[in-house]
Amino acid sequence: MPRGKHRRPRTSQFTRRVMAAGTGGAALALPLIGATQAGAAQPAQSAPTVSQSVPQAAKTAKSLTYTVTKGDSLARIADKYDVSGGWKQLYKDNRAAVGDDPRLIHPGLKLTVKTAKADAGKKTATKSSAPAKPAAKPAGGVAQATQAAAKTYANNLDGWIREALDIMAQKGIPGSYDGIYRNIMRESSGNPQAINNWDSNAAKGTPSKGLLQVIDPTFAAYHVAGTSFDPYDPVANITAACNYAAARYGSIDNVNGPY
């Protein structure tokens, strides 16, 4: 027979090793498969972080420039713009412009106001597109609702001055919070029951009374309609005194001493 006719075909060393591994058990082939898969696998990645929106604890304060108008006060401006720290902080921020007396601010003075209001400097309100219906009138056709009546005021010096200012605005009587406050503190130190029983007016039988020390004849002559006829009533006393000061001096703001 010709030599090599039935010779077994040679197998590569690699093939023989695989076959040998097969005869020994399938478990021996697993490391090879596992290693191949591990080599092809991509590196493990951490799970994506889901960012969550966290609401801010407080709005960032915004600064605006406010021009003082007639009748303004630091307290009123601070209240209007929700100034953190109130009028004291507003004064602290503007002391160089205001001066040593926080009660004295003048129209035209520019103040830096720090407010957290989103609509700083604007008065906005959500209203329906339909026109507002006119307020119902009581019998007789006389409308009695007024801005002052719709508000509530604190029963203290601040509240009395603010109520008086609203009434004065309706009646066209000039005067500012600071002007009224300054004169009240000089005349009565804020005591609505104050009475002067020793000066020349008292000697004539007409002692000065109330917050702004008004004598009865002056109170009667300059009484403002819609207020009490009691000269010791804080609001009635303020409005009558301011009405008198407007007629004689142009405004209570122009009074800086006995009047």
Side-chain angles (χ1 to χ4, degrees):
M1 294 178 65
R3 189 177 176 138
K5 182 176 181 181
H6 295 286
R7 185 178 296 173
R8 294 173 62 185
R10 293 187 176 186
T11 59
S12 68
Q13 186 177 4
F14 175 77
T15 304
R16 287 198 301 271
R17 290 178 178 175
V18 172
M19 292 173 62
T23 61
L28 296 178
L30 293 179
L32 178 62
I33 296 173
T36 302
Q37 291 176 341
Q42 296 296 323
Q45 297 181 354
S46 59
T49 302
V50 180
S51 61
Q52 298 181 349
S53 174
V54 179
Q56 295 180 347
K59 297 181 180 178
T60 303
K62 299 179 181 179
S63 293
L64 61 92
T65 300
Y66 179 83
T67 302
V68 175
T69 60
K70 188 174 182 179
D72 272 337
S73 67
L74 293 181
R76 175 174 291 186
I77 297 169
D79 181 63
K80 179 179 179 181
Y81 292 107
D82 290 338
V83 175
S84 177
W87 73 266
K88 292 183 179 179
Q89 184 61 47
L90 182 60
Y91 174 54
K92 181 179 179 181
D93 293 339
N94 294 274
R95 182 160 187 165
V98 175
D100 294 334
D101 191 343
R103 297 172 298 176
L104 300 180
I105 57 174
H106 308 286
L109 180 66
K110 294 187 181 299
L111 304 176
T112 298
V113 181
K114 296 178 182 179
T115 174
K117 279 190 173 183
D119 58 344
K122 300 178 181 178
K123 290 184 178 180
T124 58
T126 303
K127 297 181 180 180
S128 63
S129 57
K133 295 181 180 180
K137 296 182 179 180
V142 179
Q144 296 179 347
T146 65
Q147 182 179 2
K151 289 184 177 180
T152 57
Y153 303 88
N155 188 28
N156 55 29
L157 182 57
D158 179 74
W160 301 330
I161 295 175
R162 293 184 185 280
E163 183 175 359
L165 283 169
D166 283 342
I167 295 172
M168 289 163 59
Q170 295 175 27
K171 304 294 184 180
I173 302 171
S176 70
Y177 185 103
D178 288 341
I180 296 172
Y181 181 88
R182 183 181 70 251
N183 282 284
I184 285 177
M185 297 311 291
R186 185 191 64 251
E187 294 294 330
S188 68
S189 298
N191 177 14
Q193 299 298 316
I195 184 171
N196 186 326
N197 288 314
W198 55 265
D199 66 359
S200 59
N201 287 321
K204 297 175 182 177
T206 56
S208 302
K209 301 175 181 178
L211 289 174
L212 283 167
Q213 292 292 278
V214 183
I215 61 175
D216 287 341
T218 300
F219 179 84
Y222 292 93
H223 173 261
V224 175
T227 64
S228 171
F229 284 95
D230 179 4
Y232 289 107
D233 178 88
V235 175
N237 189 281
I238 293 172
T239 53
C242 288
N243 197 21
Y244 164 74
R248 184 165 182 180
Y249 303 100
S251 170
I252 191 69
D253 295 347
N254 299 328
V255 177
N256 294 292
Y259 63 109

